[in-house]
């Protein structure tokens, strides 16, 4: 274990932990955006900045910085607070339409930005380039169907050449993890339309009720794990119903 202090409170966290984990262990609230517990540290948004006072003075992104024995961390350091507020102003300037960003900023007392609104062609922008969708697709799903494209103001997330992503399995994990709701996915008939990725995936029907629900590219899971066959044959609702009736039978037979 490593012992350190966060805002004067002593905490112990396992060796290899990040400063963010220590901050959370101390029960101190700190905003994050590009961090997700299921993904490797990224350190891109700089919203989780804190000040390290010992062993050497530094402002660091806590989600990507390792703890050290005897470290002294302050989340309320004026420079760290100013750094976080600056990031929030930049985010507000990029995505003023995002409720999520506005609420995140307001929590830190930021309701205005010095950097002005986005240009008219980007007025509805919701993507803050946190990279969560790109990383969940690569690290958790193993598909790597989307990635960052372009530089500077032109930087965005998309599929290769902005066309149908052959690697996309239509799982929807990208939309699930996106904090701002920037990714639009719609199930229409036997198709899942991933509007944001210009991609359409065929869906399989539930064996019981006939509702289309399972992306066809995920059929390989059924072949690889035959014991999970029911999971892929029945939609979540029919699975729930079947489980409930199985339990009822067990209870009646007891
Ligand atoms: S689409 Fe969402 S998850 Fe992906 S980078 Fe943009 S804000 Fe982050
Ligand atoms: S949450 Fe730490 S840099 Fe984004």
């Amino acid at each position: 274990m490593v012992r350190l202090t966060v805002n004067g409170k002593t905490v112990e966290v396992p060796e290899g932990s990040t400063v963010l984990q220590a901050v959370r262990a101390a029960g101190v609230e700190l905003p994050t955006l590009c961090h997700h517990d299921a993904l490797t540290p990224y350190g891109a948004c700089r919203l989780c900045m804190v000040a390290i006072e010992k062993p050497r003075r530094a402002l660091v992104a806590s989600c990507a910085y390792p703890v050290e024995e005897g470290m002294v961390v302050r989340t309320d350091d004026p420079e760290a607070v100013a750094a976080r507020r600056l990031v929030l102003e930049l985010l507000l300037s990029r995505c003023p339409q995002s409720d999520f960003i506005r609420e995140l900023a307001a929590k830190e007392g930021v309701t205005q930005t010095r950097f002005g609104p986005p240009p008219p062609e980007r007025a509805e922008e919701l993507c803050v380039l946190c990279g969560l969708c790109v990383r969940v697709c690569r690290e958790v799903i193993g598909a790597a169907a989307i990635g960052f494209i372009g530089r500077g103001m032109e930087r965005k997330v998309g599929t290769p050449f902005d066309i149908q992503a052959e690697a996309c399995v239509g799982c929807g994990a990208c939309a699930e993890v996106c904090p701002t709701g920037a990714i639009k996915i719609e199930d229409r008939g036997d198709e899942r339309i991933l509007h944001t990725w210009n991609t359409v995936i065929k869906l399989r029907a539930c064996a019981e009720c006939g509702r289309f629900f399972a992306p066809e590219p995920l059929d390989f899971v059924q072949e690889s794990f035959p014991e999970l066959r029911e999971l892929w044959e029945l939609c979540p609702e029919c699975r729930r119903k079947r489980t409930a009736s199985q339990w009822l039978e067990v209870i009646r037979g007891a």
Side-chain angles (χ1 to χ4, degrees):
M1 299 295 278
V2 174
R3 183 187 283 244
L4 66 158
T5 71
V6 177
N7 294 358
K9 181 174 177 183
T10 302
V11 283
E12 280 194 3
V13 288
E15 204 177 327
S17 300
T18 62
V19 170
L20 177 63
Q21 285 168 320
V23 167
R24 287 179 174 169
V28 174
E29 264 199 48
L30 189 63
T32 59
L33 184 57
C34 70
H35 174 80
H36 193 290
D37 288 339
L39 301 172
T40 49
Y42 193 48
C45 71
R46 320 311 275 182
L47 191 54
C48 63
M49 295 295 279
V50 298
I52 307 287
E53 291 182 345
K54 268 188 192 167
R56 55 206 157 266
R57 168 88 190 163
L59 277 186
V60 301
S62 63
C63 69
Y65 202 83
V67 292
E68 282 177 55
E69 183 67 32
M71 191 177 247
V72 175
V73 178
R74 292 226 67 106
T75 63
D76 53 3
D77 174 274
E79 276 186 61
V81 173
R84 297 200 298 266
R85 291 173 64 101
L86 176 66
V87 170
L88 287 164
E89 278 195 67
L90 290 165
L91 288 168
L92 264 187
S93 168
R94 178 181 170 88
C95 299
Q97 300 301 323
S98 166
D99 293 340
F100 175 81
I101 294 298
R102 281 205 307 271
E103 281 163 25
L104 198 62
K107 262 194 192 170
E108 298 287 304
V110 178
T111 52
Q112 308 262 334
T113 172
R114 285 166 284 172
F115 305 106
E121 68 275 15
R122 290 171 186 268
E124 301 302 316
E125 182 64 81
L126 285 179
C127 176
V128 288
L129 300 174
C130 68
L132 283 171
C133 55
V134 175
R135 287 181 294 138
V136 81
C137 186
R138 189 179 55 220
E139 291 181 25
V140 180
I141 308 301
I146 49 175
F148 283 108
I149 303 168
R151 291 168 182 271
M153 284 293 285
E154 301 307 317
R155 192 161 169 80
K156 63 170 192 168
V157 178
T159 60
F161 307 106
D162 256 344
I163 55 172
Q164 171 91 15
E166 294 307 322
C168 180
V169 294
C171 64
C174 52
E176 201 60 47
V177 81
C178 176
T180 61
I183 301 168
K184 303 284 175 263
I185 296 184
E186 178 195 358
D187 284 358
R188 199 189 290 161
D190 64 345
E191 288 180 338
R192 174 161 295 168
I193 305 164
L194 298 102
H195 295 281
T196 317
W197 312 136
N198 299 321
T199 293
V200 178
I201 298 287
K202 280 278 175 209
L203 296 174
R204 238 176 237 307
C206 169
E208 208 137 295
C209 70
R211 188 169 73 88
F212 289 96
F213 80 106
E216 279 186 3
L218 288 176
D219 281 357
F220 75 93
V221 181
Q222 188 177 340
E223 282 144 31
S224 313
F225 303 98
E227 65 276 20
L228 298 178
R229 183 168 294 273
E230 194 174 272
L231 201 67
W232 301 100
E233 282 181 352
L234 301 182
C235 70
E237 202 167 318
C238 289
R239 267 204 313 274
R240 260 197 308 276
K241 279 184 192 158
R242 185 175 284 189
T243 310
S245 64
Q246 282 166 347
W247 272 107
L248 270 178
E249 273 171 34
V250 170
I251 291 165
R252 281 188 192 126

